[in-house]
Amino acid sequence: MSKRIAFITTAFIATSGLLPGIMTVANAAEYAQPGISSFQPLAPCLALRQPKELNLLSAATLYDHPFRNFRYTAVGEVLPQTVQVSKVDFYYPGNFLIHTWLGERWIHVNYQDYTLPHPKNLKLWQRTALYKERKDLSEPVSYLDPQTVTVLDADPDWYHPGGFHAFRIATSSGQSGWVKLYSEEIGAEESTDITVYVPDRNNIYAEPIRGPYYAEPVETKEQPYFAKARSCYWNAANPSMQYYEIETAQGFGWISSYSLSPEYSTLPIVTDDNTELELSNRTMAFRFPRWENTVAGLLEAGTRTASRSLRLDDKVWYEVDSQYGKVWVQERYADPADAVEVDESLVMKDLFSLSLYPNVTSLNPKYYSMKYAPQTLHITARWKESPGSPRSWLQVDAEDGKAWLHVIEVHEPTVVYSWQDGGYHASMLPKGTYLENRNYANGGTFFRLYGVTYNGKTYGIPYKIPLESIEGYQAVDTVLQLTTTTQLQQTPDGNMPGWPWSGASLSPQTVKLKGKWESSDGRTYGLLDSYAGEAWISLD
């Protein structure tokens, strides 16, 4: 049964839609897009690199989060034993998610502190010497041509980086003995039948890149493309990358996920799909996912059924039929579903820029580099990224469609802060609508400073982010005994400008926590009521 997804999207707008002003290159940076998590379920080819178990040689500490730096919170310990592996963090070597009596927990271990089962097969890429005994690797008894061999035994440290390691192998022709391979030569190949998407510039090689056997590419692709992969390859020296053998105009060649962040681990895999998409308005269509220079055009409102899909940048792209042929759509290039229709006007007194969609500035370089002259705008919709935030997105009418303007709205005189002489200085900002100065943006998980320019001077407007919207925050009712003097802070990110209790602390005493938060790097904080009002303390 197909599922239905509603895309609430808007029309494409040409650069000539408003009154042109001064042409200049915009400095506004596009919002960072989240990448695909490196902790993925086993996909085709991924099983080559993810062991099902490992044997711990020493006790290992259990954590709720994968290791990222030297601050994290332990939740238990597992003694030396064989453990079942659920996931591997390819981005940060040594992180394994294992099954425990506490459920699935993370451990971080050095390669000297565990052993892994040896691979079942190895791919020999060049003529390789075969030896009779492990103890004598000086005089080969014969040589093996490039082939895949079965592994019968291996050095216990076969997966350690650097140097060479010995494997006892058997060939399909009945030969057996020992081979010695450097880390860059240790790898396995697996047949597959998948289609991958290569979203960035990528080199194609005659064989997988293997350290000292690196060669010049046989072909370089500058544009994105889809490729049918008939096999994939894992290499012990580069566990964060996946290699694929694909068909090219020159025959078969090898590509890797190297051009992507290591967190991706694998190239996006294209899967068949029958999702029913409800296009509520006209939708932007692309020749290739995430490749913004390949806009095909607009799709009219209606229902379409996707034929294929893939996940990229933590977003799902869908392929649909159109008057332009096969195209790809995604909800990011859309009006927010909870935008509120309005009929208002706004007088712009300064030069301003527009975005095709909220937080999308790079779809058309000519478009977002345009500065428009002061004029009166017709506002047709409003949208807030976060309730209570001073930042608003306003949808405006243009000659050839609609566009979005982001502004800071101040509904009553508000205290703002400017940085000068090594500190923040307070001023009063009148009510009004201001263009946002993103170069002034500051803050973290718990608060933001939104920048505005007023009378030629830049100010920051503090905004405290609601606790219920912060990932990892939980309300608690816990009594805690403080044994040392403990510093108070307004938020785990630090103090917002203007907080009068900077430097405040609590003497040793019993306190009651009403909230708790653990950061992605393992730092833990507690929320309590104090003489300074609501404040946070570190629990590390």
Side-chain angles (χ1 to χ4, degrees):
M1 179 179 294
S2 65
K3 58 181 179 180
R4 294 176 65 88
I5 295 180
F7 276 22
I8 311 299
T9 58
T10 189
F12 176 72
I13 174 172
T15 59
S16 59
L18 298 178
L19 300 176
I22 299 173
M23 289 290 291
T24 181
V25 177
N27 293 320
E30 185 172 359
Y31 281 2
Q33 300 179 35
I36 297 176
S37 170
S38 57
F39 318 125
Q40 306 176 34
L42 288 183
C45 300
L46 200 57
L48 282 173
R49 298 179 294 147
Q50 179 161 310
K52 294 181 179 179
E53 63 182 34
L54 70 157
N55 181 40
L56 298 176
L57 303 178
S58 59
T61 305
L62 299 173
Y63 305 101
D64 283 332
H65 300 277
F67 175 92
R68 282 294 184 269
N69 63 19
F70 290 100
R71 296 187 65 88
Y72 41 84
T73 303
V75 296
E77 184 181 68
V78 58
L79 297 178
Q81 59 185 285
T82 298
V83 295
Q84 301 301 307
V85 177
S86 175
K87 296 179 184 178
V88 175
D89 179 5
F90 295 111
Y91 181 70
Y92 207 115
N95 286 340
F96 298 92
L97 185 65
I98 65 170
H99 297 280
T100 76
W101 70 99
L102 297 174
E104 291 188 334
R105 293 293 185 272
W106 288 96
I107 59 173
H108 177 73
V109 287
N110 296 319
Y111 56 82
Q112 302 95 332
D113 297 327
Y114 64 90
T115 60
L116 288 175
H118 60 70
K120 295 180 179 179
N121 303 289
L122 287 177
K123 175 75 172 184
L124 305 181
W125 290 94
Q126 62 179 2
R127 195 164 182 260
T128 303
L130 181 67
Y131 303 89
K132 183 177 180 181
E133 300 288 346
R134 171 65 180 88
K135 60 185 178 182
D136 184 9
L137 299 178
S138 58
E139 293 294 332
V141 295
S142 64
Y143 288 86
L144 301 176
D145 291 329
Q147 61 184 287
T148 296
V149 296
T150 300
V151 179
L152 306 176
D153 196 5
D155 288 349
D157 63 350
W158 66 269
Y159 53 91
H160 289 200
F164 72 85
H165 305 282
F167 297 83
R168 186 164 68 91
I169 61 92
T171 70
S172 59
S173 62
Q175 290 179 285
S176 64
W178 290 81
V179 296
K180 61 178 182 180
L181 303 173
Y182 287 91
S183 293
E184 292 82 2
E185 300 176 280
I186 300 171
E189 185 179 10
E190 176 186 291
S191 297
T192 188
D193 182 18
I194 58 175
T195 299
V196 296
Y197 175 53
V198 187
D200 298 303
R201 183 182 186 274
N202 200 289
N203 292 327
I204 301 175
Y205 294 87
E207 61 182 55
I209 306 171
R210 295 179 295 115
Y213 301 97
Y214 175 84
E216 290 297 318
V218 296
E219 184 181 351
T220 297
K221 295 275 193 179
E222 300 289 348
Q223 302 293 321
Y225 62 97
F226 296 94
K228 195 80 170 178
R230 72 173 184 178
S231 64
C232 50
Y233 178 74
W234 161 83
N235 177 246
N238 297 291
S240 65
M241 288 189 286
Q242 183 75 67
Y243 302 85
Y244 306 86
E245 187 182 24
I246 63 169
E247 188 170 9
T248 72
Q250 290 74 34
F252 285 92
W254 290 85
I255 61 172
S256 77
S257 58
Y258 177 77
S259 64
L260 300 175
S261 161
E263 283 199 72
Y264 286 103
S265 177
T266 63
L267 290 174
I269 297 175
V270 182
T271 58
D272 293 335
D273 202 310
N274 66 341
T275 300
E276 197 172 75
L277 307 176
E278 185 69 35
L279 308 182
S280 301
N281 289 304
R282 292 188 294 172
T283 301
M284 186 65 66
F286 299 82
R287 299 292 183 191
F288 294 97
R290 206 189 71 176
W291 198 259
E292 296 170 340
N293 295 329
T294 64
V295 174
L298 297 170
L299 304 184
E300 296 296 331
T303 301
R304 294 175 186 264
T305 300
S307 56
R308 300 191 298 174
S309 65
L310 62 85
R311 179 173 290 274
L312 181 64
D313 292 336
D314 208 27
K315 301 289 186 180
V316 178
W317 288 82
Y318 297 94
E319 185 184 52
V320 298
D321 288 316
S322 75
Q323 64 268 37
Y324 312 106
K326 296 282 189 181
V327 294
W328 292 82
V329 295
Q330 196 253 87
E331 62 183 347
R332 181 170 184 258
Y333 299 96
D335 288 345
D338 53 349
V340 178
E341 292 186 4
V342 296
D343 182 8
E344 303 172 358
S345 62
L346 177 65
V347 178
M348 302 300 297
K349 299 180 180 180
D350 299 300
L351 297 175
F352 61 95
S353 300
L354 296 171
S355 296
L356 181 58
Y357 301 107
N359 301 329
V360 175
T361 59
S362 62
L363 185 60
N364 185 329
K366 289 180 62 178
Y367 180 67
Y368 70 78
S369 65
M370 177 75 79
K371 290 288 187 181
Y372 295 99
Q375 57 192 279
T376 299
L377 301 177
H378 179 217
I379 310 301
T380 59
R382 289 176 163 274
W383 180 66
K384 276 190 176 292
E385 299 174 40
S386 175
S389 166
R391 175 189 285 162
S392 295
W393 285 89
L394 308 178
Q395 188 182 57
V396 303
D397 268 336
E399 182 178 333
D400 298 313
K402 294 184 182 292
W404 288 86
L405 171 73
H406 64 90
V407 297
I408 300 297
E409 295 185 303
V410 178
H411 299 291
E412 58 185 26
T414 299
V415 176
V416 293
Y417 298 87
S418 60
W419 181 265
Q420 52 184 306
D421 302 327
Y424 283 106
H425 294 260
S427 300
M428 187 67 72
L429 185 70
K431 64 181 286 188
T433 300
Y434 301 86
L435 289 176
E436 182 180 358
N437 184 337
R438 289 197 175 182
N439 293 330
Y440 193 81
N442 198 355
T445 303
F446 285 79
F447 75 90
R448 298 280 192 277
L449 277 182
Y450 291 105
V452 299
T453 300
Y454 177 64
N455 287 341
K457 197 170 184 178
T458 302
Y459 299 92
I461 301 178
Y463 168 63
K464 199 170 182 180
I465 299 172
L467 292 174
E468 59 271 15
S469 67
I470 295 175
E471 184 177 358
Y473 172 78
Q474 57 179 323
V476 299
D477 185 5
T478 305
V479 174
L480 177 68
Q481 178 64 47
L482 301 180
T483 58
T484 61
T485 300
T486 303
Q487 191 80 22
L488 291 173
Q489 56 192 73
Q490 191 179 14
T491 77
D493 295 327
N495 300 329
M496 296 168 63
W499 197 53
W501 298 98
S502 180
S505 62
L506 295 177
S507 59
Q509 58 184 281
T510 300
V511 297
K512 187 175 183 179
L513 299 181
K514 64 178 187 179
K516 188 177 179 181
W517 180 72
E518 184 174 352
S519 65
S520 60
D521 62 2
R523 298 171 184 260
T524 307
Y525 299 87
L527 178 65
L528 48 77
D529 290 317
S530 70
Y531 65 90
E534 192 174 77
W536 290 82
I537 60 173
S538 172
L539 301 181
D540 294 334

